[in-house]
Amino acid sequence: MKPRLTEIAQQRVGDVLTPGHFAIDATAGNGHDTVFLSRSVAADGRVFAFDVQTAAIAATQSRLAESGLRNVTLVQKSHAELESTLPPETVGRVAAVMFNLGYLPGGDHSVMTETPSTLAAIDAALRVLRSGGVLTIIAYPGHAGGDTETTAVGRHLAGLASDAYAVEQVTGQSGRNASPILFVVTRQPRSASDDT
Ligand code: SAH
């Protein structure tokens, strides 16, 4: 069986994350990626986890507490506010940013990521990423709103300068709906736009 896109995304992020790094979960949801990032950067690193929804922040908080993880700053704000929220010392030093779009499984399906703030947050994430850092985005074209969001994300990433960013796409499996897509963006080391 093919691994799930969430596992592939964690694998790709795990390849570049080491203890002491900064990392961002842009859509904390139930906290699975936040816990993964927290463990990967270890006590010397720090994770910033964003979600607009109280239920998601609470779920993530209790998952972290259960595992005794203390290196996460939970932020109940839109990921579009990423840059104004992060402390200045993190800029250009973030090793990984993870997005899992759509709505919270088992939660309020009316709260979902939206194209304009998603694109703004992706641009912000790319600006704070360090050289060699990785951005992962899982998009779900199978639901209303998710289809246009997935197309918009794909177009947006296709427009990035290829000397600065490498973009890959992995298609997942879905029983009923259009298959989810994982986008992996790597900020090229020693690129022309490398300012770190
Ligand atoms: N679709 C995925 C889970 C996505 S969870 C799956 O099936 O596994 C997406 C999370 O993004 C939700 O918890 C939701 O509250 C959050 N979210 C929605 N808009 C957001 C925004 N603008 N900023 C940060 N988080 C947001």
Side-chain angles (χ1 to χ4, degrees):
M1 217 176 87
K2 269 181 29 176
R4 290 157 54 94
L5 291 186
T6 47
E7 290 165 16
I8 300 173
Q10 290 193 355
Q11 231 167 53
R12 296 299 303 269
V13 165
D15 286 345
V16 302
L17 267 192
T18 58
H21 275 145
F22 291 115
I24 298 172
D25 188 347
T27 49
N30 288 317
H32 299 286
D33 288 333
T34 307
V35 166
F36 163 75
L37 292 171
S38 167
R39 292 210 168 106
S40 303
V41 302
D44 291 343
R46 180 141 288 271
V47 176
F48 298 86
F50 291 79
D51 205 294
V52 285
Q53 209 174 152
T54 310
I57 294 290
T60 302
Q61 193 155 34
S62 63
R63 207 174 278 277
L64 290 167
E66 274 166 25
S67 310
L69 298 166
R70 292 172 219 278
N71 59 349
V72 178
T73 304
L74 289 170
V75 186
Q76 190 171 357
K77 280 189 201 168
S78 171
H79 40 222
E81 295 180 60
L82 195 145
E83 276 176 303
S84 58
T85 305
L86 289 184
E89 69 267 23
T90 61
V91 174
R93 298 182 56 207
V94 175
V97 184
M98 302 183 82
F99 287 77
N100 194 348
L101 302 177
Y103 50 77
L104 184 66
D108 181 352
H109 288 197
S110 71
V111 182
M112 62 175 84
T113 54
E114 286 168 12
T115 305
S117 46
T118 297
L119 297 184
I122 288 172
D123 284 342
L126 292 173
R127 285 193 291 266
V128 300
L129 211 59
R130 79 201 288 264
S131 176
V134 164
L135 162 67
T136 62
I137 305 157
I138 301 177
Y140 299 84
H143 67 89
D147 45 2
T148 50
E149 187 180 41
T150 306
T151 306
V153 168
R155 284 213 185 106
H156 197 70
L157 298 180
L160 295 176
S162 60
D163 60 337
Y165 302 100
V167 182
E168 298 159 69
Q169 267 190 47
V170 184
T171 304
Q173 285 175 324
S174 169
R176 291 160 288 146
N177 300 317
S179 300
I181 297 174
L182 164 67
F183 298 94
V184 182
V185 184
T186 307
R187 182 165 175 189
Q188 306 276 29
R190 293 185 297 279
S191 67
S193 66
D194 194 356
D195 57 9
T196 54

